Structures are given as structure tokens and as C-alpha cells.
Amino acid sequence: MKRLRWILLFTLFTAPLFAQLNRGTITGIVTDSTGASVPAAQVTVKQTATNMTTRVATTDSGQYNVPNLPPGLYEIAVEAKGFKKFVLSNAELRATDVIRIDATLDVGSMVETVEVAATVERVQTDSPQVGTSLTNSGLIDLPLSFAGARNMENFAYKLTPGVAGSSWTSHINGSTTASKEVLIDGASTTTNRGGHNGESTVSLEAVQEFKIQTSGMSAEFGRFQAGVFNFVMKSGTNQLHGTAYGALRNEALNANTWVNNFRGVKRPQDRRQNMAGSIGGPVYIPKIYDGKDKTFFYTSFEKYKDRTGGFGAPNRTLPLAEFYEGDFSRLLQTVNAGTDALGRTVKRGAIFDPATFTQLASGRYIGEMFPGNIIPKSRFSTVSQQLNSIATKHYLPTVKDAAGVTPLVNNGLFPVATTPEFDQYQFSVKADQQLNSVNRLSGSYSYTVRPRLLLDAGGMWDITDPRGGPLSKARLQRTRSSLVRLAWDWTISPTTLLNVNTSVNRFANPNNSVHRDIDGAKELGIKNLSTFGYPTVNWSGGPYVSPVTPGDPQASFAAYNSGGILATLTMTKGKHFLKMGFDHRRFQFNNRPTPGGSFNFNARATAIPNETFSGSQTGYSFASYLLGIVDSAGLGAPVGLGGRRMYLAGFFQDDYKVTRTLTLNLGVRWDFQPPYTEVADRMASWNMTKTDPQSGLFGAYDFAGTCNLCNGSRYFGTRSYNDFGPRFGLAWQVSDKWVVRSAYGLFFEADNNNSYSAINGASSFPWAGSY
């Protein structure tokens, strides 16, 4: 079994590099008028928009195969000695398509030409793949909402059978979350979450085609459970062309709601703007360079701006103005909470003076309530006084009832939208270069930046300040995503092609308080502490009335990087069309957390200790805050994280044309993904079999690395080199209108005894037929 394994690995890795996941294939059979095969016929495939040409020869059985072709319109010309030239134009090829164009040659001179202008049948007869393809024109014509910025991926969940969810939680044919693959120009976009492309999506103006593949993919596709979202970016052509787009939404065009009219409230702010444009063509520098038929470019830019305002019904509880003065008389109720150790009646809402607590011989405590439930200002903490001065300027309740009295609860407003400010800028450029008749280069760069204001943490809000005032929990998130691709195509011979595709992805995700430039701890007079923004002061414990809390220090940053090299060597041998190569990827996760800073207050500090009603019916958290009695505090000791992961795969695919109407798609893929490591070995894992050196009991931490107490390895777990999966496909053309397609895949893993078992079988590659 070990010998079989090494033979398989040798077969896979002796083949040079990368895959053609964003390209298509034109295949067919050349025969004469009697139906006999025509070997060694010259087949020329030309992309009509760029005049880029590929030449191959038919095999002894008259078959030809032209892989790795960019999507577009093609002209196919077939020439053979003693026959008239055959030319078919306007053949449309889409991403991952395998279209069949058979040619019948008539006897005659090669000078004579038989031209055919016909639409190629879209039903694929040579591939078991199942999916949905959307061209740019189709994407533009479909009703795509521009709310939240245009995202063409949303079409997949509306139009494709078996596809559900969203970019963050997609499911294909029942697959688990984060298990699909997303490709842009043939390279994976995965950085921090598999299958999520929301922050890295390119402008709709830059996309030529979007292909949703749900089953039947060949072995060159890997590292996913079920389904591939395949984006192909536009390339320039010999003619200059471009697009322009604009959309606008404004509250001035809306009717006000009946409730707002009744309350005398204006229409809430509701403004969205989306503008985009693109242009592409040959590179032309007057009197210096003319790139027609050789050098092409295509670039696009899109800007989206969203501003959503307005407040809903009062839904925030702010401390009353008298609370900041120490007056809690409105909390005192006439209902009894119980009696103290001396049998005295205790009223609900009573605030007790901690300086009067005395323990009796019985072990119970007694204490005296602040007179009138009012705390003298002379007892206030100096930090509380500083915070009070800020809060009373910005966060006094604005709501009053019909009698003009401020209610205890729901007396403040908060924005309706959790993201009132959202912008997105998308830029991309793609270049293609025909070096010579057998070498081509193409590359692309995409950049997306998404600044947005996040209010999902709630908290206090100053309705006169668009950022909510100095104590708000508003956060500013400015994510940045960059995608770089570079591909090289080399036609080694008329039957052999090498494609190399490299990629680099980066996703930067900062998470900062809008007040991060303020040292809130210093402003409040807290010694030996420095914070990004004001620290969290948690006075929300009540009882009965629980105000929202101020402060939220945030200043973290995470960067997710990935890169890879992917290759395919494609060869034609008789009836066999072979693909082989490998896929290597590396992933980085770098995180710099914020130290934070929080102070928590509890009602029990101003309630008689250990009584059943203490803290639940008497005492008050805000009163404990005024006195500066901290119940608990939190301060992180942030340690950066530098996660590293590697992936390596090899594959072999044989599309075997058994007959003119029957194709077998046979493939195998080997996958290797070693355990996760940390750049400085800052990882630990609980080991139930390890003896704790302090207690001598079982159960202790293992630490990665080579220190005296470490496990001697940079990772936890074991490496397995035995994961591989054969894939089987069938495409059978029953008649001119009927095609049967089916596909199935298995993944195998060898255990220590080298006995093999199937895992993730039907759920990953289910049988799928179409008629």
C-alpha cells in the first residue's frame, strides 16, 4: 500500500504547475464526408476580439482539444491537405465550459473555404459539470439592488438550484458553512474565512462572467466541500470600449411615514449614491507603441456612499439628571422589601450608606439608608465627578411624558441604523500581453476599501453628534482588500500546454473606537492606566432601572494574507486529454488586540450585605459608581497572534473520449494540509494524560516549541500524508437534444494500518444528472 501511495505522489508531482480554473475548452472531431477521421489536420482557434490565436493538430482518431482559452467569441478554422478549409465563427465560450465543435471537411483545394456562422449548442456533451453561468450583460440586466453596494454574488442565491444563504453563510447542496471556494481569474480569494468574498468583491463593471459550479468539477478544483463561485474579469480588446453607471436614492424623493407626520418628525435621512465606470482596449502610446493584437488593458472604478439617519421610538435608558446629583428619591418605593436584622422595615429601592454597615453577633449586618435616598456630593469619587461632567453635557434624557416628567426607562433615543455611514471604493485593472505565438501573460490587481461606522455595541448616544458624543460605543472600521494575479500560458507544442497562475491576497481589518485618539483613563483621572477612548463603566446592574453604559476602548488590528501558485500541464494523447499539476497555498493570520479597560459596579455595594433582598430590591449600581466602589475590573494583556497554515495538493485528470458520444472524466487529487502553527510558538493545548508538576495529578498544558517544558514541536496533532480522492464523471450524448451527465467523488484517508476508508463522499460530489 505504501508503494501504491508513493507511485501516486510521483505521478502527480513530476507534472509541472498550474490550473486553468477560469478558462474554457473547445474540443471536437474532424472527419471527411464519409465519416472517416482526418488525422494531423491543422486547427486554428482565434479570439475575434483580440486576434489571439492558438494552433493544434488532430490526433490519429481525428480528435482535437484546445484548453485554457479565455471566455469570449472565437473563430475555428480547420485545414487539411486535399480538403476545403472549414471556418466556423461566433462560437461563444464561457468560463469552465467544454464546448464541442465538430468539423466535416469536403474534398477540394485548401484555397476553397466552407464558412459556417451558427450558434454553438450550449448543452455540454463532454463534461459532467453542473452549474449556472451569468455574463456581464445578464448581470446588468437583472434587478440587482444597490443597497449596501452592488454584489453580484447575491444572484447565486436567487437563481441557482441548491445554493442558499449569503456570502458569510453560504450552503451548496447541503454543505456546511464556509466550505465553498471563490475564484477570481482562476485563483482563490480565501483569506480569513473560506468562501467569504464580501469585503474582496470586485466591481460589477470589471466582471465579464460569473459561473456558479455546484457539482461535477474536475480534479483540478480543490480545497472545498461543495461548489465553486468563479469570477472572470474583463480583458481589453482591439477596440476601445467601456461602461458607465449611476444610481441615486434620497429622502427628498420619499414620502414621510404616517407616524412621523403624527409626531411632527421630518423624514429620516436616507441617502445612497452609486457611481461606476470602466474602460478597456489596446495599449496605445502615440508615436511610441501600438499594442493592437498584442497588449490590452481594462480598468474599472466604483464608488458607493450610504448615509442613513433617523431615530426610532425611545429605547435607551439614560440616568436621570438628578441621579448625577446623587438624588435617587424616585427609586424609593412604598412596597416593603423585607426587614433587617433588627426587624426594621426595608423599602424597595433603598440606597444604604456603606460607611454605616455593622456586623452583629448573629453574623448578620445592619446599615442606615442615605437620608431621603440622596448621596451627598462630598462622598462622590473624583473619577465619577469627572465622568459626570462629561455625561451631563451630552447624555441627559430628552424624552418626557404628557405631564412633562422624564420617565425612568426608555427616556433616550438611538439611531435606527446600526451602520449609519457606509462607503465602498473598488478599483481594478487587468492587462494581457501576447509575447509571441506561444507565450502569453495576463495579470490583474483589485483593491477594495470599505469605511463604515458601526453602532452594533449600543450604549449612550448624543443626538446632536453624528458620532454619538465622547462616551459612545461607535466604532470605525476601514477594511482594505487587495488581490493580485499573474498568469503565464506557454504552448509547448500543438498537443502540450503549460499554464502557471500565481496569486496574493490581503485583507486588513482594523477595529477602532471613533474616540481612540483620546486617552480616556487619563481624562478621568484614573492612575496607572491608559486607554484608547474612554474605558467601559458598567453601571447597568439596576435593580429595576438599568441605564446603558458609557465607554468602549477599542484599537485592534487584524491582517489576513494568503498566496499561492497553481499550475496545469495539459496534453493530448490519442483519445485521452490529460491534465496534471499541483496547487500550493500559504495562509497568514496576524492579530494585534486591544488591551481594553473596564470597571464594573454592583448594587450590593450600597445594600445591606448578605440579605435576600440586597442587590435585587435594594441598593443601586449607579449609586455604587458615584461612591467609587468598584465591584470588578478588567484589563487585557494583549499578546499578538501570528497564525500560519500551509496547503499542498497534486492532481491528475483524464478526459477519455471512449466514443464520439461518450466521455469518461477520471481524476484523482491528493491533498495535504499540516496542522496550524504560530509564528512565535505561542500555543498551548490541554493534555489529560500529562502530569501536572505542581499537584502531581493528571491534566496539564502542553506548550508548542522547543523549550524545557514544551512538546518539542511547533504544532499539536499529527501530520497525515494519506488524503486523496478519486473523482468519476460521465458525459453521454444520447441524441442531438439529450445528454446524460453524472459525477461522483470520494475522499480516502489511510489510517496507521494502511486500511482505507471513504469519507465525505456523496455530500461532497453527489450524483447529478440533467436531461
Side-chain angles (χ1 to χ4, degrees):
M1 189 60 70
K2 289 184 178 179
R3 180 177 298 176
L4 172 62
R5 183 176 67 208
W6 288 110
I7 291 174
L8 173 65
L9 297 182
F10 178 80
T11 303
L12 296 175
F13 282 92
T14 51
L17 290 64
F18 293 67
Q20 46 183 350
L21 308 182
N22 62 323
R23 310 292 182 89
T25 298
I26 296 177
T27 187
I29 298 177
V30 179
T31 59
D32 60 19
S33 56
T34 66
S37 300
V38 180
Q42 179 79 27
V43 181
T44 303
V45 177
K46 182 175 69 175
Q47 189 178 31
T48 55
T50 63
N51 289 331
M52 289 188 175
T53 303
T54 302
R55 293 180 175 85
V56 299
T58 58
T59 64
D60 293 340
S61 58
Q63 300 186 75
Y64 73 93
N65 192 62
V66 188
N68 204 46
L69 296 173
L73 293 177
Y74 283 87
E75 177 187 273
I76 296 89
V78 182
E79 299 175 272
K81 187 176 182 179
F83 295 94
K84 296 179 181 179
K85 183 178 180 180
F86 171 92
V87 178
L88 184 141
S89 57
N90 296 323
E92 182 182 11
L93 180 67
R94 298 178 182 174
T96 75
D97 275 1
V98 180
I99 62 173
R100 171 177 285 275
I101 298 178
D102 294 332
T104 300
L105 303 184
D106 296 328
V107 176
S109 171
M110 293 179 64
V111 178
E112 300 178 88
T113 301
V114 177
E115 295 188 0
V116 180
T119 302
V120 178
E121 179 60 53
R122 297 308 312 168
V123 176
Q124 295 191 62
T125 61
D126 294 82
S127 171
Q129 179 180 274
V130 176
T132 301
S133 182
L134 296 172
T135 62
N136 181 267
S137 58
L139 290 167
I140 292 175
D141 292 340
L142 288 170
L144 175 62
S145 170
F146 74 97
R150 297 187 297 171
N151 187 352
M152 68 204 80
E153 184 175 328
N154 294 337
F155 285 128
Y157 309 104
K158 304 294 183 182
L159 302 176
T160 308
V163 179
S166 65
S167 178
W168 188 253
T169 59
S170 55
H171 304 278
I172 300 176
N173 294 331
S175 67
T176 58
T177 299
S179 63
K180 77 173 187 295
E181 178 67 287
V182 177
L183 305 176
I184 292 182
D185 273 356
S188 173
T189 64
T190 297
T191 52
N192 63 318
R193 182 181 175 92
H196 175 55
N197 190 48
E199 283 84 5
S200 303
T201 182
V202 296
S203 169
L204 179 60
E205 305 303 308
V207 175
Q208 177 176 340
E209 185 180 347
F210 175 32
K211 184 69 172 284
I212 305 106
Q213 301 162 256
T214 55
S215 67
M217 283 73 76
S218 70
E220 61 187 318
F221 292 89
R223 206 173 186 272
F224 65 96
Q225 187 183 63
V228 176
F229 283 11
N230 206 331
F231 297 89
V232 181
M233 296 179 64
K234 289 180 181 177
S235 294
T237 64
N238 278 326
Q239 291 187 347
L240 193 69
H241 59 284
T243 63
Y245 164 82
L248 172 69
R249 175 168 173 165
N250 192 286
E251 72 272 8
L253 306 175
N254 301 340
N256 205 1
T257 65
W258 184 89
V259 174
N260 283 349
N261 286 329
F262 177 79
R263 296 168 54 199
V265 178
K266 296 181 179 180
R267 289 169 290 195
Q269 186 182 50
D270 183 14
R271 300 175 185 177
R272 296 170 185 167
Q273 303 171 9
N274 199 188
M275 297 178 292
S278 67
I279 189 170
V283 174
Y284 178 71
I285 304 175
K287 299 182 180 180
I288 297 177
Y289 184 76
D290 185 357
K292 185 178 181 181
D293 293 342
K294 293 177 293 185
T295 310
F296 308 93
F297 79 96
Y298 202 94
T299 186
S300 71
F301 177 76
E302 182 163 353
K303 176 185 177 181
Y304 174 79
K305 183 177 181 179
D306 192 330
R307 296 294 182 269
T308 305
F311 300 91
N315 60 358
R316 289 295 186 273
T317 297
L318 302 174
L320 302 183
E322 57 262 36
F323 284 8
Y324 293 105
E325 301 295 322
D327 185 354
F328 299 99
S329 56
R330 287 188 61 182
L331 294 180
L332 192 60
Q333 304 176 35
T334 58
V335 180
N336 293 338
T339 57
D340 66 7
L342 299 179
R344 297 177 296 183
T345 300
V346 177
K347 299 293 185 182
R348 290 184 182 177
I351 309 297
F352 286 85
D353 184 353
T356 65
F357 293 157
T358 303
Q359 188 175 23
L360 303 179
S362 63
R364 294 178 66 185
Y365 285 84
I366 59 172
E368 301 301 325
M369 190 181 81
F370 281 106
N373 234 26
I374 300 174
I375 300 176
K377 282 190 176 181
S378 60
R379 299 282 299 277
F380 286 10
S381 159
T382 56
V383 174
S384 299
Q385 293 180 51
Q386 287 293 110
L387 185 57
N388 286 355
S389 65
I390 299 173
T392 53
K393 291 179 182 179
H394 297 273
Y395 302 104
L396 291 179
T398 57
V399 177
K400 297 184 183 298
D401 60 20
V405 178
T406 300
L408 286 170
V409 298
N410 295 330
N411 52 27
L413 301 175
F414 196 81
V416 174
T418 57
T419 310
E421 298 179 13
F422 178 89
D423 295 333
Q424 178 169 281
Y425 304 90
Q426 297 167 292
F427 169 78
S428 67
V429 60
K430 185 174 181 179
D432 298 272
Q433 176 68 46
Q434 179 85 16
L435 298 175
N436 50 46
S437 61
V438 296
N439 285 281
R440 303 172 189 168
L441 289 177
S442 66
S444 64
Y445 171 75
S446 304
Y447 177 74
T448 301
V449 58
R450 302 179 75 181
R452 58 180 179 173
L453 183 67
L454 297 175
L455 311 182
D456 52 352
M460 309 176 82
W461 193 262
D462 181 354
I463 61 175
T464 65
D465 188 332
R467 299 297 172 92
L471 301 179
S472 75
K473 297 179 183 292
R475 293 177 292 119
L476 186 61
Q477 185 185 50
R478 184 184 176 88
T479 64
R480 300 183 302 277
S481 178
S482 300
L483 308 175
V484 180
R485 276 98 178 91
L486 180 63
W488 170 45
D489 297 312
W490 176 27
T491 304
I492 301 173
S493 73
T495 59
T496 306
L497 171 71
L498 175 65
N499 169 253
V500 179
N501 192 354
T502 59
S503 64
V504 176
N505 309 310
R506 177 175 171 83
F507 174 56
N509 185 16
N511 186 26
N512 297 315
S513 166
V514 296
H515 316 297
R516 64 158 293 169
D517 294 331
I518 300 174
D519 188 339
K522 182 179 179 180
E523 293 288 326
L524 296 179
I526 303 174
K527 297 179 180 179
N528 302 318
L529 180 65
S530 179
T531 58
F532 296 96
Y534 287 91
T536 301
V537 179
N538 186 4
W539 58 36
S540 65
Y544 301 118
V545 179
S546 298
V548 292
T549 61
D552 184 31
Q554 293 285 343
S556 63
F557 179 78
Y560 307 86
N561 305 317
S562 66
I565 183 167
L566 172 68
T568 297
L569 183 71
T570 306
M571 296 186 295
T572 302
K573 296 290 184 181
K575 295 184 177 182
H576 298 269
F577 299 99
L578 309 174
K579 294 179 183 179
M580 60 201 78
F582 72 84
D583 183 352
H584 177 61
R585 309 181 198 180
R586 288 188 176 271
F587 303 88
Q588 292 184 358
F589 166 53
N590 302 299
N591 183 36
R592 186 192 66 212
T594 180
S598 62
F599 298 90
N600 305 307
F601 298 89
N602 198 287
R604 57 174 168 255
T606 48
I608 299 174
N610 302 331
E611 296 294 338
T612 57
F613 48 77
S614 297
S616 60
Q617 300 184 63
T618 62
Y620 195 51
S621 295
F622 194 86
S624 303
Y625 146 76
L626 291 179
L627 295 171
I629 306 175
V630 177
D631 187 75
S632 63
L635 179 65
V639 177
L641 175 67
R644 301 293 184 265
R645 171 152 280 171
M646 186 268 284
Y647 169 78
L648 187 64
F651 63 88
F652 181 86
Q653 179 77 23
D654 181 6
D655 296 330
Y656 176 32
K657 298 183 182 298
V658 182
T659 67
R660 184 171 181 174
T661 59
L662 177 63
T663 302
L664 291 180
N665 306 97
L666 308 174
V668 63
R669 186 179 182 93
W670 174 82
D671 295 273
F672 172 60
Q673 181 165 286
Y676 177 95
T677 62
E678 206 277 332
V679 68
D681 296 334
R682 292 169 291 195
M683 291 197 305
S685 178
W686 186 255
N687 187 343
M688 292 296 295
T689 64
K690 184 177 181 178
T691 302
D692 181 10
Q694 295 294 324
S695 65
L697 301 176
F698 286 114
Y701 276 106
D702 273 334
F703 296 92
T706 57
C707 67
N708 293 335
L709 298 178
C710 296
N711 67 350
S713 174
R714 301 201 62 201
Y715 58 88
F716 295 99
T718 59
R719 294 192 176 198
S720 173
Y721 299 90
N722 303 312
D723 296 338
F724 71 94
R727 305 183 189 182
F728 311 94
L730 176 147
W732 176 30
Q733 185 176 1
V734 181
S735 66
D736 292 339
K737 297 182 179 180
W738 292 82
V739 177
V740 176
R741 299 196 303 269
S742 62
Y744 190 72
L746 291 173
F747 290 91
F748 292 90
E749 181 175 0
D751 59 24
N752 293 331
N753 297 321
N754 288 326
S755 61
Y756 287 74
S757 58
I759 61 173
N760 294 334
S763 64
S764 295
F765 292 89
W767 286 94
S770 63
Y771 302 90

